Amino acid sequence: EPFEFLPAAPLRISFAEGIKLLRDAGVGPDAQGDFDDLSTENEKKLGDIVKAKFHTDFFIMDKYPLSIRPFYTMPDPDTFPSKPPAEQLSNSFDMFMRGQEIVSGAQRIHDHKLLMERVAYCHSSAGHGGPDPESIKAYTDAFKFGAFPHGGGGVGLERVVMLYLGLSNIRKTSCFPRDPSRLAP
Protein backbone atom coordinates (compact mmCIF):
# COMPACT_ATOMS: atom_id res chain seq x y z
CA GLU A 1 0.00 0.00 0.00
CA PRO A 2 1.51 3.40 -0.93
CA PHE A 3 2.78 5.53 1.92
CA GLU A 4 0.57 8.56 2.62
CA PHE A 5 2.06 11.80 3.91
CA LEU A 6 0.41 15.18 4.44
CA PRO A 7 1.84 17.58 1.82
CA ALA A 8 1.99 20.81 3.87
CA ALA A 9 3.35 19.63 7.23
CA PRO A 10 3.28 16.48 9.33
CA LEU A 11 0.34 15.91 11.63
CA ARG A 12 1.15 16.78 15.24
CA ILE A 13 -1.09 15.72 18.11
CA SER A 14 -0.61 15.79 21.86
CA PHE A 15 -0.58 12.62 23.94
CA ALA A 16 -3.95 13.70 25.41
CA GLU A 17 -5.38 14.08 21.89
CA GLY A 18 -4.07 10.62 21.03
CA ILE A 19 -5.79 9.17 24.09
CA LYS A 20 -9.01 10.96 23.10
CA LEU A 21 -8.84 9.44 19.61
CA LEU A 22 -8.45 6.00 21.19
CA ARG A 23 -11.36 6.67 23.60
CA ASP A 24 -13.57 7.80 20.70
CA ALA A 25 -12.73 4.51 18.96
CA GLY A 26 -13.85 2.48 21.97
CA VAL A 27 -10.56 1.90 23.81
CA GLY A 28 -11.53 2.16 27.46
CA PRO A 29 -9.48 3.27 30.48
CA ASP A 30 -8.93 -0.37 31.46
CA ALA A 31 -7.09 -0.98 28.16
CA GLN A 32 -5.29 2.39 28.11
CA GLY A 33 -4.87 4.71 31.10
CA ASP A 34 -4.87 8.46 30.52
CA PHE A 35 -1.27 8.75 31.77
CA ASP A 36 0.06 5.27 30.91
CA ASP A 37 2.48 4.60 28.08
CA LEU A 38 0.88 3.25 24.92
CA SER A 39 1.08 -0.49 24.36
CA THR A 40 2.22 -1.68 20.93
CA GLU A 41 -1.36 -2.73 20.24
CA ASN A 42 -2.69 0.75 21.05
CA GLU A 43 0.06 2.43 19.03
CA LYS A 44 -1.06 0.40 16.01
CA LYS A 45 -4.73 1.20 16.69
CA LEU A 46 -3.88 4.89 16.94
CA GLY A 47 -2.00 4.64 13.64
CA ASP A 48 -5.10 3.12 12.00
CA ILE A 49 -7.31 5.87 13.48
CA VAL A 50 -4.94 8.63 12.31
CA LYS A 51 -4.76 7.08 8.83
CA ALA A 52 -8.57 6.91 8.55
CA LYS A 53 -9.22 10.38 9.99
CA PHE A 54 -6.27 12.42 8.67
CA HIS A 55 -5.12 10.37 5.62
CA THR A 56 -1.50 10.11 6.70
CA ASP A 57 0.83 7.28 7.65
CA PHE A 58 3.18 9.65 9.53
CA PHE A 59 2.46 11.68 12.64
CA ILE A 60 4.15 13.20 15.67
CA MET A 61 2.75 12.92 19.18
CA ASP A 62 4.12 15.16 21.92
CA LYS A 63 3.56 16.19 25.55
CA TYR A 64 3.88 12.68 26.99
CA PRO A 65 3.27 12.16 30.70
CA LEU A 66 6.45 12.92 32.63
CA SER A 67 5.94 9.75 34.68
CA ILE A 68 6.67 7.50 31.68
CA ARG A 69 9.76 9.31 30.42
CA PRO A 70 13.39 9.05 31.63
CA PHE A 71 14.68 11.23 34.47
CA TYR A 72 16.57 13.54 32.10
CA THR A 73 13.42 14.56 30.15
CA MET A 74 12.51 18.22 30.56
CA PRO A 75 9.19 18.74 32.34
CA ASP A 76 6.55 20.83 30.58
CA PRO A 77 6.53 24.21 32.37
CA ASP A 78 2.72 24.42 32.03
CA THR A 79 2.26 21.39 34.31
CA PHE A 80 5.46 21.13 36.37
CA PRO A 81 5.41 21.57 39.32
CA SER A 82 1.87 23.00 39.49
CA LYS A 83 0.03 19.70 38.89
CA PRO A 84 0.24 16.45 40.86
CA PRO A 85 3.10 14.18 39.66
CA ALA A 86 0.70 11.78 37.92
CA GLU A 87 -0.63 14.64 35.74
CA GLN A 88 2.66 16.33 34.85
CA LEU A 89 3.67 16.39 31.20
CA SER A 90 7.04 16.46 29.48
CA ASN A 91 8.64 18.22 26.54
CA SER A 92 8.98 14.96 24.67
CA PHE A 93 7.71 13.39 21.47
CA ASP A 94 7.48 10.23 19.42
CA MET A 95 7.21 9.99 15.64
CA PHE A 96 5.11 7.23 14.12
CA MET A 97 4.95 5.54 10.72
CA ARG A 98 2.07 3.20 9.95
CA GLY A 99 1.21 3.05 13.65
CA GLN A 100 4.66 2.16 14.93
CA GLU A 101 7.13 4.35 16.78
CA ILE A 102 10.20 5.21 14.72
CA VAL A 103 11.69 8.06 16.76
CA SER A 104 11.55 8.92 20.44
CA GLY A 105 12.99 12.18 21.67
CA ALA A 106 12.82 15.05 24.09
CA GLN A 107 14.23 18.28 25.34
CA ARG A 108 16.74 17.31 28.02
CA ILE A 109 17.15 18.88 31.44
CA HIS A 110 20.20 21.18 31.42
CA ASP A 111 19.86 22.64 34.94
CA HIS A 112 21.82 20.68 37.58
CA LYS A 113 19.41 21.40 40.43
CA LEU A 114 16.35 20.28 38.45
CA LEU A 115 18.22 17.26 37.10
CA MET A 116 19.09 16.12 40.63
CA GLU A 117 15.49 16.65 41.77
CA ARG A 118 14.25 14.45 38.91
CA VAL A 119 16.90 11.78 39.52
CA ALA A 120 15.98 11.63 43.21
CA TYR A 121 12.25 11.53 42.48
CA CYS A 122 12.46 8.87 39.76
CA HIS A 123 14.70 6.69 41.96
CA SER A 124 12.38 7.06 44.97
CA SER A 125 9.47 4.77 45.78
CA ALA A 126 7.13 7.46 44.38
CA GLY A 127 8.96 7.49 41.04
CA HIS A 128 9.06 5.03 38.18
CA GLY A 129 12.39 3.33 38.74
CA GLY A 130 15.14 5.72 37.75
CA PRO A 131 18.81 4.93 38.33
CA ASP A 132 20.58 5.20 41.67
CA PRO A 133 21.96 8.77 41.83
CA GLU A 134 25.44 7.48 42.78
CA SER A 135 25.58 5.26 39.69
CA ILE A 136 25.24 8.26 37.35
CA LYS A 137 27.26 10.79 39.36
CA ALA A 138 29.78 11.35 36.55
CA TYR A 139 26.90 12.25 34.22
CA THR A 140 25.09 14.56 36.66
CA ASP A 141 28.29 16.25 37.89
CA ALA A 142 28.94 17.52 34.36
CA PHE A 143 25.86 19.73 34.67
CA LYS A 144 27.29 21.54 37.72
CA PHE A 145 29.40 23.62 35.36
CA GLY A 146 26.49 24.60 33.15
CA ALA A 147 24.97 23.20 30.01
CA PHE A 148 23.16 24.69 27.07
CA PRO A 149 19.51 23.84 26.53
CA HIS A 150 19.55 20.75 24.34
CA GLY A 151 17.53 17.79 23.17
CA GLY A 152 17.90 14.51 21.45
CA GLY A 153 16.18 11.58 19.89
CA GLY A 154 16.78 8.09 18.68
CA VAL A 155 15.81 6.85 15.21
CA GLY A 156 15.11 3.23 14.37
CA LEU A 157 16.38 3.47 10.79
CA GLU A 158 15.74 -0.18 9.92
CA ARG A 159 12.18 0.16 11.25
CA VAL A 160 11.68 3.29 9.10
CA VAL A 161 12.79 1.40 5.99
CA MET A 162 10.58 -1.60 6.85
CA LEU A 163 7.49 0.52 7.41
CA TYR A 164 8.06 2.84 4.44
CA LEU A 165 8.50 -0.08 2.06
CA GLY A 166 5.71 -2.11 3.66
CA LEU A 167 7.98 -5.07 4.38
CA SER A 168 6.74 -7.87 6.62
CA ASN A 169 9.85 -8.24 8.80
CA ILE A 170 12.58 -5.89 10.02
CA ARG A 171 15.23 -8.52 9.19
CA LYS A 172 14.60 -7.78 5.51
CA THR A 173 16.07 -4.29 6.02
CA SER A 174 19.40 -5.28 7.57
CA CYS A 175 22.51 -6.69 5.92
CA PHE A 176 23.32 -8.62 9.10
CA PRO A 177 20.11 -9.15 11.09
CA ARG A 178 20.46 -10.30 14.67
CA ASP A 179 18.06 -12.48 16.61
CA PRO A 180 18.31 -14.88 19.57
CA SER A 181 19.80 -17.60 17.37
CA ARG A 182 22.02 -15.47 15.12
CA LEU A 183 24.70 -13.17 16.49
CA ALA A 184 27.27 -13.37 13.68
CA PRO A 185 26.72 -12.86 9.97
Side-chain angles (χ1 to χ4, degrees):
E1 178 177 329
F3 188 81
E4 284 191 64
F5 192 82
L6 295 177
L11 174 67
R12 180 177 153 197
I13 62 173
S14 69
F15 185 85
E17 291 167 330
I19 296 296
K20 182 173 181 343
L21 289 170
L22 287 168
R23 292 282 183 268
D24 292 347
V27 177
D30 54 320
Q32 176 62 57
D34 289 343
F35 293 94
D36 295 337
D37 204 0
L38 295 176
S39 66
T40 301
E41 178 184 350
N42 285 338
E43 282 182 356
K44 289 179 181 180
K45 280 182 189 171
L46 183 58
D48 291 341
I49 294 164
V50 165
K51 171 83 171 201
K53 185 170 183 169
F54 301 103
H55 308 289
T56 184
D57 285 306
F58 178 81
F59 67 99
I60 301 167
M61 190 159 59
D62 66 359
K63 298 298 179 189
Y64 275 75
L66 188 58
S67 63
I68 61 173
R69 292 304 212 192
F71 69 89
Y72 51 77
T73 303
M74 181 64 81
D76 173 19
D78 293 335
T79 63
F80 181 87
S82 60
K83 298 218 177 213
E87 297 177 18
Q88 293 171 353
L89 303 178
S90 64
N91 287 348
S92 65
F93 66 92
D94 284 349
M95 294 181 183
F96 294 87
M97 283 179 72
R98 300 187 194 241
Q100 294 189 50
E101 177 189 316
I102 58 165
V103 176
S104 188
Q107 179 184 6
R108 308 287 171 83
I109 295 173
H110 57 276
D111 176 77
H112 182 260
K113 181 176 181 249
L114 177 57
L115 182 64
M116 295 312 297
E117 288 172 14
R118 291 293 305 146
V119 168
Y121 178 79
C122 290
H123 184 67
S124 75
S125 60
H128 58 280
D132 175 15
E134 279 302 309
S135 71
I136 57 169
K137 190 169 174 22
Y139 171 78
T140 59
D141 278 354
F143 290 86
K144 287 181 179 178
F145 307 105
F148 289 103
H150 62 288
V155 180
L157 189 56
E158 289 164 330
R159 184 179 281 195
V160 171
V161 172
M162 176 190 78
L163 294 168
Y164 185 78
L165 296 176
L167 301 174
S168 60
N169 193 303
I170 199 165
R171 285 177 271 176
K172 294 179 178 180
T173 66
S174 175
C175 289
F176 305 106
R178 307 286 194 257
D179 62 37
S181 63
R182 180 181 173 177
L183 296 177

